[in-house]
Amino acid sequence: MTALLRFDGERACEADIEAHTPEMRGQRQHLLRQLAVTPGQRVLDVGCGPGYLISELVDPVGPDGAVCGIDISASMLDLARARCAPAGARVNLVAGRCEEIPFPDASFDAAVSSQVYEYVGDIERALAELYRVLRPGGRAVILDTDWDSLVWHSADRPRMRRILTLWEDHVADPRLPRRLGPLLQEAGFAEESLTTLTFLNRRCHRDAYSYWQVGFIEAFLAGHPRADPEETKAWGRELRELDAAGQYFFSLGRYAFTVVKPGD
């Protein structure tokens, strides 16, 4: 089963708040360093979400550059348009899927995609599209999570395993990073680097990434046919109790592939 989590409506607003956490701010800074855009470049954000990374790319590309973003969620695009409105015509946000990027060949000098490709069923087609819209010599940075890297303390380990096994249904491939390198090579890209990020929380409060993950998981499992609502409630309650007792622990690994389209 692949139910996939949809970031519309309330979920989009929660993702917008989650983007303020130190973990997500640090992730964006890492992506910006890896992307290394220069003034005058055209940059594409595939799955731009609420537009935080796009808003942070506007200054590096300068007045002669442009930043474009695509997303399948109308709610996310609305948030991104409001956030990026001060940039005017230098930002172009459109509805689109990464399997069918709505831009011509060789349109961009650089591209970035964060936490998107693990949701895509036809990953080969999505990477072919990314390759197509980059100019020769263009750079891309792709970041995704391997959900086997998740360490989450619980006194009831069997229940935690059951919850996280069901949670895996929110993506098409919960372990994409371990095969993403060969897939990128098959698509024609040359790899420059593979870097890692670790999200580490020892508290569960609104400024912590994992606080919002608890809410996302609870909302996703509320609509999951194999989830036990009482078990989900007990799971969330235990995490909050562990936090109150000073025993909370959460760690998650993400992987950023920096690649180049051979050419110039």
Side-chain angles (χ1 to χ4, degrees), residues 1 3-6 11 14 152 158-171 212-236 239:
M1 172 188 172
L4 300 186
L5 182 64
R6 296 189 63 85
R11 299 287 82 76
E14 290 174 352
W152 215 338
R159 181 177 64 199
M160 178 65 82
R161 284 194 294 269
R162 288 192 296 271
I163 293 291
L164 296 182
T165 296
L166 294 176
W167 172 239
E168 287 188 358
D169 287 339
H170 85 288
V171 291
W212 298 100
Q213 286 301 294
V214 173
F216 286 138
I217 293 173
E218 288 174 330
F220 179 73
L221 295 189
H224 198 297
R226 299 201 313 274
D228 179 342
E230 292 305 313
E231 180 166 74
T232 302
K233 289 178 183 177
W235 171 80
L239 292 176

Side-chain angles (χ1 to χ4, degrees), residues 26-27 30-31 33-34 142-144 146 149 177 193-199 252-258:
Q27 176 176 292
H30 184 75
L31 292 171
R33 287 193 296 270
Q34 294 301 116
I142 300 100
L143 179 144
D144 280 285
D146 186 324
S149 71
S193 67
L194 170 59
T195 53
T196 62
L197 293 172
T198 300
F199 288 3
L252 181 68
R254 288 184 167 174
Y255 303 83
F257 293 78
T258 302

Side-chain angles (χ1 to χ4, degrees), residues 152 201-204 210 214 239 242-243 246-250:
W152 215 338
N201 292 158
R202 299 182 70 183
R203 293 296 311 276
C204 188
S210 60
V214 173
L239 292 176
L242 287 169
D243 177 56
Q247 299 175 11
Y248 185 81
F249 186 93
F250 170 97

